[in-house]
Amino acid sequence: MLCWLREDEMSVQELLQRVECVITHVDEIMQQDIRPLLAVDIIEQLHRQFASLSGGRGKDGAPIITFPECSGFSEVPEEDFLNVVTYLTSIPSLDAASIGFIIIIDRRKDKWSSVKASLSRIAGAFPGNLQLVLVLRPSRFFQKHIADIGIKLHKDDFKMKVPIVMLNSLSDLHGYVDKSQLTRELGGNLEYCHSQWIHHRTAIENFAMTVKTTAQMLQKFGTDLAETELPNDVQCTKDLLTAHTDKHNNLKDELRLAVKQGTTLYSCIKDQSAKSEDHELNPDEMENQTTVERLLAQLDETENAFEQFWSKHHLKLEQCLQLRHFEQDFREVKVSLDSLIDSLNSLSDTGDCVARVEKMLKELKTLEEKAQATLEKAQLHALHGDQLIQSNHYAVDSIRPKCVELRRVCDDFSNEVKKKTDILSKSLQIHQGIDKSGIYLLASQAVDKCQSQEGAESALTDIEHFLESAEKNQLTELRNLHNQYEVVLSEDIKVHVLKALKRLEDVQEMFEKRHLSLKRLSAKQTRPIQPVAPRPESSPKRPSVKNTPRTAGGQQRNLIFVFSANLNEDMHIMTELIETERLYVEELQSIMEGYFAELNNSELSHLMPPSLENKRDVLFGNLPEIYEFHNKTFLMELENCAEKPELVGTCFLKRVEELQVYEKYCQNKPRSEILWRQCGDSLFFQECQKKLDHKLSLDAYLLKPVQRITKYQLMLKEMLKCSNGEGIAELEEALATMLDIIKSVNDSMHQIAITGFEGNLSELGKLLMQGSFNVWTDHKKGHSKVKDLARFKPMQRHLFLYDKMLLFCKKREETTDGHEKTPSYSFKHSLKMSSVGITENVKGDSKKFEVWYNGREEVYIIQAPSMDVKNMWVSEIRKVLTGQLEACRGMYTHTHTFSSENNSVRLCYLIFHRITLQSQQVKDEKIHIKARRCVELACSPRVLPQSKEMLVGVSKLPIGVHVRVNGYLSLCVSLGDM
């Protein structure tokens, strides 16, 4: 199934990154890290107005928080007081808050006890930096003096590091704070409405939440798209396009509503300054306006990111629909073309008579006319594919081969029709020539007219003209073809051609006799000539003319084509295999003699680059070992199969271990290429290349072994196609073995790129599989938020499956010296296969499977790129787990210490423990606990008395697990332990 291409994957990732930035910026704008509360959370406490942030500022810009007259201030719960003060201190910008807050406590109508309580609360719970505390003391005479005395006595009790100034009147207050920064209640002219302030704050925070929620909706949309696969048929693609378009329109509506909400809020805040000409927004209102502007900018960024992505995504969906239409039409046209080819192949190009050949020509003509509509449709469809390619369609690599295939099939059909027409036309000429063969000329010559001198000379002229042209006639082609292809002609055709040749000889003999007779008649007319009817069948036999001229026409070529199809293709492929092997050995020899040996040539030592010193084995790897094997062993064994291609499979199987040398060579190849880039342009290699008269440099020849090991499996495949009997089983096994070697080579190339693994990879057993996957993790002991995040975002991991361990690595592309990117794999973590379980199917995605560890304490959900890849991995992991169980069983079955009462029961424990961990049916935690209890009993030193209890515990398990466990318990009973 075709997934998103890399460019569009980047587009989805770019959308997610930009939206994530928007979410982060919204949190920064609203200072969510220092503002744990929202206005709506404490709306009731804010409405009580025991504290307010009016928007005034001190002389240095310090924000002012006012504690106005409040009769019930002492009754405000401590939590409510702390929430309101914390919220108010988090609203000003960080720069303003860092200056420190000025607190004005208005207690003019109150008592000293209220002043004291207020100062104590502020000293004990104020969350921000304080710059100055201004207290409007009680105005009544008695309370005023008490306040003076109290502040002196209790000043140290308040534990404030800032000055506490007791003010007698508003005029004193104005000496510290300008009137323009104070509300009317404090003798200033700053306009402030507490209910309106609350309304603005809740509106701003609601808008911020809307912006964040909208961005998160787009984030989810992008994530869903990242996991969406393009459908394989037209209708599903149409449905997907419609669904995504509807979702886009809905999200677009949400964006419009959010923009409208923000614009309205911005207008409400800004319109305050328009109430009067001299009114100006206070700093807090200015910050509110700035906050809304910044939120609108983030919303605009969200919309721009979404539209930029949607334009690409919508184009991709439309192109996908175009591709599905193209593929559907291609399949229909291809079926029609294949039917035409089959019909054409069913028409023979050889006939045994004129009528038969004429009928075949007519059928061929009818088929050609019938095919024109299909051929035109195929050409138009290929032209449509060209247009898709020119329009920068994302699936160029899928479309172009189909266009090439359509044109190829059309050309093959036309060429085959032309070839068959040519062969049949020539065949018709031959048959017509055989039928005529000069007899009509002999029969048309009136014998009575030949009795005169003029008549005889005229007939003689006709005969001589025919004899002269007979050498150039099509009939001689038949004789030439018979002489040239007599060995390969089928018996039916040979008999037919021999009859025609016999008939031709008879006709020629009659012409010669007539020629002699007419010459005598024209020379001397002595007596009347009696008319005699020609009888070709009475003519004596004579040998055919051997030295007739050869004709180089298309007839010969066509007959070659017809008869060469019966040659043994196995022999051809075997010949090619041997010849290419000889050439390969010669090339290896030239490298060994012209480069490898020359590194020890003292005459060239002054040309050798310093970077090559003592690094011959790095540059050439184990090439000498490869050369020795092919030169002394493998080439000779292949040559021994020259006359018996059916033995080539056995030849490969016999040398499987020796062919493993290519794995070591390929592992060294990256190091060799790096060294070559450092020293390849040196005079030493130029001189060696010049001596060898090689057109290509050494690095091209060092690539030959990599190319050769892949070439073998291709030639074995070709031999399998042509083989139909002896040796086919060995060929199939040899092909499978070569493919396994190539896979091992490929896997080892990846394995050597693993970095950060502290253990020894060679101790992990054989590398069975490797590949890239999306991986989600789910750990029982993890933090809930971490677990949610792990489920939400997949990790890109490259997995290496060994006999004993499963490695998780992160693939990195590294550029070396400005050359192509080479992958490396950073080791992340590993799982011991002895503690691994597997769940083959994961709900919601057929390409996912689970690998879990230690009884599902760690669960890894793995998404394969295709179903085939998933099935191969699941099968291989199951083989490893099954092998471990068989090893456990074998270890206990073949031991000679069965006298111990617990041995086979412990075997039951080992096997059943893996069943309870791996069975898909044991997912309920309670069931798992019961199962563990059973196996713990199996390991108890007092196993015999408890065996009945163990069986009872087993009977309570689900039926699927119950059957498995009873089977293993029966094994224990049979061994005499229970």
Side-chain angles (χ1 to χ4, degrees):
M1 191 173 285
L2 201 65
C3 295
W4 300 116
L5 297 183
R6 189 169 182 81
E7 293 180 358
D8 296 286
E9 286 178 350
M10 294 303 295
S11 296
V12 173
Q13 294 303 322
E14 182 181 359
L15 172 67
L16 295 177
Q17 290 172 2
R18 292 176 67 177
V19 172
E20 186 66 29
C21 288
V22 168
I23 296 172
T24 302
H25 288 159
V26 170
D27 290 340
E28 290 174 355
I29 292 169
M30 300 307 295
Q31 302 183 116
Q32 288 297 304
D33 55 336
I34 62 172
R35 185 185 302 153
L37 296 172
L38 298 176
V40 69
D41 299 328
I42 56 172
I43 192 72
E44 188 175 321
Q45 294 92 317
L46 289 174
H47 274 297
R48 294 176 64 179
Q49 201 177 350
F50 57 82
S52 63
L53 186 70
S54 61
R57 292 288 191 271
K59 294 177 182 179
D60 56 356
I64 298 173
I65 293 180
T66 303
F67 289 83
E69 291 285 350
C70 180
S71 60
F73 182 80
S74 60
E75 298 174 4
V76 175
E78 191 66 25
E79 182 181 359
D80 292 353
F81 173 82
L82 182 60
N83 286 341
V84 170
V85 175
T86 302
Y87 179 76
L88 294 179
T89 56
S90 67
I91 292 175
S93 66
L94 294 176
D95 291 338
S98 65
I99 298 173
F101 289 86
I102 296 176
I103 294 179
I104 299 176
I105 304 174
D106 185 4
R107 293 293 181 265
R108 288 174 291 172
K109 299 179 182 180
D110 216 329
K111 302 177 181 179
W112 159 246
S113 60
S114 176
V115 174
K116 181 180 178 183
S118 300
L119 290 174
S120 298
R121 273 194 166 180
I122 293 170
F126 192 83
N129 295 329
L130 281 173
Q131 186 188 91
L132 181 63
V133 178
L134 301 174
V135 181
L136 283 168
R137 73 179 75 193
S139 58
R140 285 178 292 178
F141 181 80
F142 181 73
Q143 291 296 328
K144 181 178 180 180
H145 284 285
I146 293 177
D148 289 339
I149 297 171
I151 194 66
K152 291 178 182 179
L153 295 175
H154 299 283
K155 186 174 183 179
D156 294 334
D157 295 342
F158 299 132
K159 298 180 180 178
M160 290 189 183
K161 296 180 180 180
V162 298
I164 301 174
V165 180
M166 303 297 290
L167 304 173
N168 294 322
S169 63
L170 292 177
S171 59
D172 292 344
L173 174 63
H174 298 161
Y176 288 90
V177 180
D178 191 86
K179 286 184 178 182
S180 63
Q181 302 300 316
L182 295 172
T183 60
R184 297 186 187 278
E185 292 81 5
L186 298 176
N189 51 23
L190 180 66
E191 293 185 3
Y192 174 76
C193 176
H194 191 64
S195 60
Q196 187 182 60
W197 180 89
I198 294 174
H199 174 71
H200 282 178
R201 290 308 309 170
T202 54
I204 290 171
E205 290 169 357
N206 284 338
F207 177 55
M209 184 59 66
T210 300
V211 175
K212 188 172 181 179
T213 302
T214 304
Q216 288 170 340
M217 290 169 62
L218 294 182
Q219 192 178 47
K220 184 179 185 305
F221 181 55
T223 303
D224 292 342
L225 293 182
E227 298 177 356
T228 301
E229 294 178 340
L230 295 178
N232 281 336
D233 62 279
V234 172
Q235 188 57 49
C236 289
T237 306
K238 286 182 178 178
D239 295 342
L240 184 65
L241 179 58
T242 301
H244 283 194
T245 303
D246 291 341
K247 188 170 287 188
H248 163 264
N249 294 338
N250 293 336
L251 289 172
K252 190 70 175 174
D253 291 340
E254 293 291 337
L255 282 168
R256 290 194 191 98
L257 290 174
V259 170
K260 184 177 180 181
Q261 177 186 350
T263 305
T264 303
L265 177 59
Y266 181 80
S267 299
C268 291
I269 296 173
K270 193 173 183 181
D271 289 346
Q272 280 192 252
S273 62
K275 290 181 180 179
S276 60
E277 293 181 357
D278 57 347
H279 179 75
E280 293 181 359
L281 296 176
N282 63 51
D284 280 0
E285 291 172 336
M286 290 293 294
E287 285 187 2
N288 286 345
Q289 182 175 312
T290 303
T291 298
V292 176
E293 287 177 345
R294 292 175 67 187
L295 290 173
L296 283 171
Q298 293 304 313
L299 193 60
D300 185 62
E301 167 61 15
T302 302
E303 186 173 11
N304 290 338
F306 180 57
E307 284 305 313
Q308 289 174 17
F309 165 75
W310 175 252
S311 62
K312 293 181 180 179
H313 178 64
H314 189 257
L315 175 62
K316 178 64 176 291
L317 289 178
E318 289 182 335
Q319 287 185 343
C320 179
L321 185 58
Q322 292 172 348
L323 177 64
R324 297 299 171 244
H325 278 298
F326 177 82
E327 290 174 338
Q328 180 174 289
D329 294 341
F330 169 81
R331 287 190 291 269
E332 294 174 359
V333 172
K334 187 65 167 58
V335 168
S336 300
L337 288 174
D338 290 342
S339 177
L340 289 175
I341 292 291
D342 292 340
S343 299
L344 182 61
N345 291 335
S346 65
L347 294 178
S348 176
D349 53 5
T350 57
D352 53 1
C353 63
V354 172
R356 176 62 179 162
V357 174
E358 287 178 341
K359 181 181 179 182
M360 287 190 292
L361 277 170
K362 185 177 180 179
E363 291 174 350
L364 185 61
K365 185 67 175 178
T366 301
L367 179 62
E368 185 179 13
E369 292 173 353
K370 178 183 175 182
Q372 286 307 309
T374 301
L375 294 175
E376 290 175 2
K377 187 175 180 180
Q379 293 291 353
L380 287 174
H381 195 60
L383 182 61
H384 178 223
D386 292 341
Q387 294 171 348
L388 292 178
I389 292 171
Q390 292 171 3
S391 65
N392 295 323
H393 197 285
Y394 73 87
V396 169
D397 292 339
S398 176
I399 296 172
R400 183 177 284 114
K402 292 180 174 61
C403 295
V404 172
E405 176 68 4
L406 289 176
R407 291 191 171 100
R408 182 193 65 78
V409 176
C410 289
D411 292 341
D412 288 350
F413 179 86
S414 300
N415 292 335
E416 188 66 15
V417 168
K418 184 178 179 181
K419 183 173 66 177
K420 283 183 178 290
T421 302
D422 185 54
I423 293 175
L424 288 172
S425 299
K426 291 182 181 297
S427 178
L428 181 62
Q429 293 175 9
I430 291 174
H431 284 293
Q432 287 174 340
I434 291 174
D435 286 350
K436 292 180 181 179
S437 58
I439 290 181
Y440 296 109
L441 175 60
L442 295 175
S444 65
Q445 291 180 330
V447 178
D448 57 339
K449 292 183 178 180
C450 295
Q451 295 183 16
S452 65
Q453 181 75 18
E454 294 79 12
E457 289 179 353
S458 175
L460 181 60
T461 302
D462 293 338
I463 292 293
E464 288 177 344
H465 183 270
F466 177 80
L467 290 174
E468 289 175 2
S469 64
E471 296 297 324
K472 303 175 183 178
N473 197 280
Q474 301 97 319
L475 298 176
T476 58
E477 294 182 3
L478 183 63
R479 182 182 292 111
N480 291 336
L481 290 172
H482 174 265
N483 293 338
Q484 188 172 356
Y485 301 114
E486 184 175 5
V487 177
V488 296
L489 288 176
S490 67
E491 290 301 319
D492 293 339
I493 297 178
K494 188 182 297 185
V495 170
H496 186 69
V497 174
L498 287 174
K499 287 182 180 179
L501 287 173
K502 175 62 173 61
R503 192 172 183 183
L504 175 62
E505 292 171 359
D506 292 343
V507 171
Q508 286 180 329
E509 185 177 359
M510 283 187 275
F511 267 90
E512 290 171 359
K513 288 185 177 180
R514 177 68 65 85
H515 182 252
L516 292 173
S517 300
L518 290 174
K519 286 184 74 171
R520 287 195 295 268
L521 284 174
S522 63
K524 183 178 182 180
Q525 297 290 333
T526 56
R527 57 186 177 88
I529 302 297
Q530 298 297 323
V532 179
R535 295 180 61 84
E537 64 272 13
S538 64
S539 302
K541 294 181 180 179
R542 56 182 292 180
S544 60
V545 180
K546 298 285 184 179
N547 298 322
T548 55
R550 293 183 60 186
T551 59
Q555 187 175 357
Q556 290 187 22
R557 290 192 300 272
N558 287 323
L559 284 177
I560 292 173
F561 173 81
V562 172
F563 298 127
S564 64
N566 295 323
L567 293 177
N568 191 330
E569 289 297 330
D570 277 2
M571 197 68 71
H572 285 209
I573 299 171
M574 192 67 230
T575 302
E576 181 186 357
L577 176 58
I578 294 173
E579 290 302 321
T580 54
E581 184 73 11
R582 288 171 181 160
L583 179 61
Y584 176 53
V585 171
E586 291 175 2
E587 289 172 336
L588 294 182
Q589 182 180 1
S590 68
I591 297 172
M592 297 303 299
E593 295 177 354
Y595 288 103
F596 189 85
E598 290 295 299
L599 288 172
N600 294 328
N601 188 347
S602 58
E603 295 179 1
L604 298 177
S605 59
H606 65 287
L607 300 178
M608 192 179 303
S611 57
L612 190 60
E613 187 175 357
N614 298 325
K615 292 185 179 179
R616 183 171 69 172
D617 292 340
V618 174
L619 183 62
F620 292 92
N622 61 331
L623 191 65
E625 185 180 4
I626 294 175
Y627 170 64
E628 287 296 313
F629 165 63
H630 285 272
N631 184 46
K632 295 184 177 180
T633 305
F634 202 53
L635 174 58
M636 290 185 289
E637 292 185 354
L638 289 177
E639 288 175 338
N640 292 337
C641 301
E643 300 299 327
K644 295 182 178 181
E646 64 273 10
L647 299 179
V648 72
T650 304
C651 179
F652 274 91
L653 292 174
K654 182 180 176 183
R655 298 299 173 184
V656 167
E657 291 187 6
E658 287 91 336
L659 288 168
Q660 299 288 343
V661 296
Y662 281 92
E663 182 172 341
K664 181 179 178 181
Y665 184 83
C666 293
Q667 285 179 342
N668 180 70
K669 197 70 176 67
R671 298 173 61 211
S672 173
E673 291 174 350
I674 293 173
L675 180 58
W676 173 256
R677 287 196 290 269
Q678 295 172 357
C679 62
D681 56 353
S682 67
L683 293 176
F684 172 80
F685 290 110
Q686 294 176 15
E687 182 65 24
C688 292
Q689 183 178 348
K690 183 178 179 181
K691 286 183 179 181
L692 292 170
D693 195 24
H694 281 180
K695 294 181 180 179
L696 301 176
S697 56
L698 173 61
D699 60 323
Y701 288 90
L702 291 177
L703 193 60
K704 296 288 184 180
V706 181
Q707 297 169 337
R708 188 59 182 171
I709 193 64
T710 57
K711 179 71 173 177
Y712 287 135
Q713 57 95 9
L714 295 175
M715 304 194 83
L716 289 173
K717 284 181 181 177
E718 292 300 318
M719 294 198 76
L720 265 176
K721 291 179 183 177
C722 304
S723 299
N724 55 5
E726 187 178 355
I728 193 168
E730 289 78 5
L731 269 177
E732 290 175 344
E733 187 178 353
L735 175 59
T737 302
M738 291 306 300
L739 290 173
D740 187 55
I741 289 175
I742 294 172
K743 178 182 177 299
S744 298
V745 169
N746 182 56
D747 289 346
S748 66
M749 294 293 287
H750 289 275
Q751 178 182 248
I752 62 174
I754 296 176
T755 60
F757 183 72
E758 296 182 355
N760 189 346
L761 292 175
S762 62
E763 296 177 357
L764 305 184
K766 183 180 179 182
L767 175 59
L768 304 174
M769 303 284 283
Q770 57 82 25
S772 294
F773 300 87
N774 288 332
V775 179
W776 291 260
T777 61
D778 185 6
H779 300 320
K780 282 186 178 181
K781 297 182 180 180
H783 191 274
S784 59
K785 290 186 177 179
V786 176
K787 289 166 66 178
D788 292 340
L789 181 62
R791 294 192 190 101
F792 182 68
K793 291 186 177 180
M795 299 177 292
Q796 299 295 322
R797 289 292 182 262
H798 201 91
L799 273 57
F800 293 84
L801 176 62
Y802 293 86
D803 285 325
K804 299 180 180 179
M805 193 169 287
L806 179 62
L807 303 187
F808 289 76
C809 300
K810 185 172 183 179
K811 184 177 181 181
R812 303 183 186 277
E813 299 287 347
E814 298 178 355
T815 302
T816 56
D817 301 329
H819 291 267
E820 70 278 358
K821 292 183 176 180
T822 57
S824 66
Y825 305 99
S826 299
F827 171 76
K828 293 299 180 183
H829 65 281
S830 61
L831 304 177
K832 291 183 178 180
M833 294 305 295
S834 59
S835 300
V836 161
I838 184 171
T839 302
E840 181 172 349
N841 297 312
V842 176
K843 185 178 181 181
D845 193 337
S846 59
K847 294 188 298 185
K848 289 181 180 178
F849 62 97
E850 284 183 351
V851 170
W852 31 275
Y853 198 61
N854 283 343
R856 300 187 70 86
E857 285 186 3
E858 300 177 22
V859 178
Y860 300 86
I861 301 173
I862 301 172
Q863 183 185 51
S866 68
M867 279 298 297
D868 290 341
V869 173
K870 172 198 168 179
N871 292 336
M872 286 191 292
W873 274 76
V874 169
S875 175
E876 200 64 39
I877 292 174
R878 288 199 179 282
K879 287 181 183 177
V880 174
L881 299 180
T882 303
Q884 291 177 353
L885 292 178
E886 293 298 329
C888 289
R889 184 190 300 178
M891 179 177 65
Y892 282 94
T893 302
H894 293 93
T895 183
H896 61 282
T897 59
F898 272 128
S899 57
S900 172
E901 66 177 11
N902 281 347
N903 276 347
S904 57
V905 178
R906 292 183 184 277
L907 170 60
C908 172
Y909 165 71
L910 288 172
I911 298 174
F912 176 57
H913 178 63
R914 294 305 299 269
I915 289 176
T916 57
L917 289 178
Q918 295 174 15
S919 173
Q920 296 180 26
Q921 298 171 352
V922 183
K923 292 184 178 179
D924 185 7
E925 192 68 25
K926 294 180 179 178
I927 296 175
H928 186 68
I929 292 173
K930 291 180 181 179
R932 288 298 298 267
R933 176 58 182 156
C934 292
V935 295
E936 286 168 3
L937 288 173
C939 284
S940 170
R942 298 170 58 196
V943 66
L944 293 178
Q946 294 176 342
S947 58
K948 183 180 295 186
E949 183 180 352
M950 181 178 180
L951 290 171
V952 171
V954 170
S955 67
K956 296 180 181 179
L957 293 173
I959 186 64
V961 182
H962 176 74
V963 172
R964 286 181 172 84
V965 177
N966 272 339
Y968 288 111
L969 292 177
S970 298
L971 171 64
C972 297
V973 172
S974 67
L975 294 174
D977 286 339
M978 298 182 63

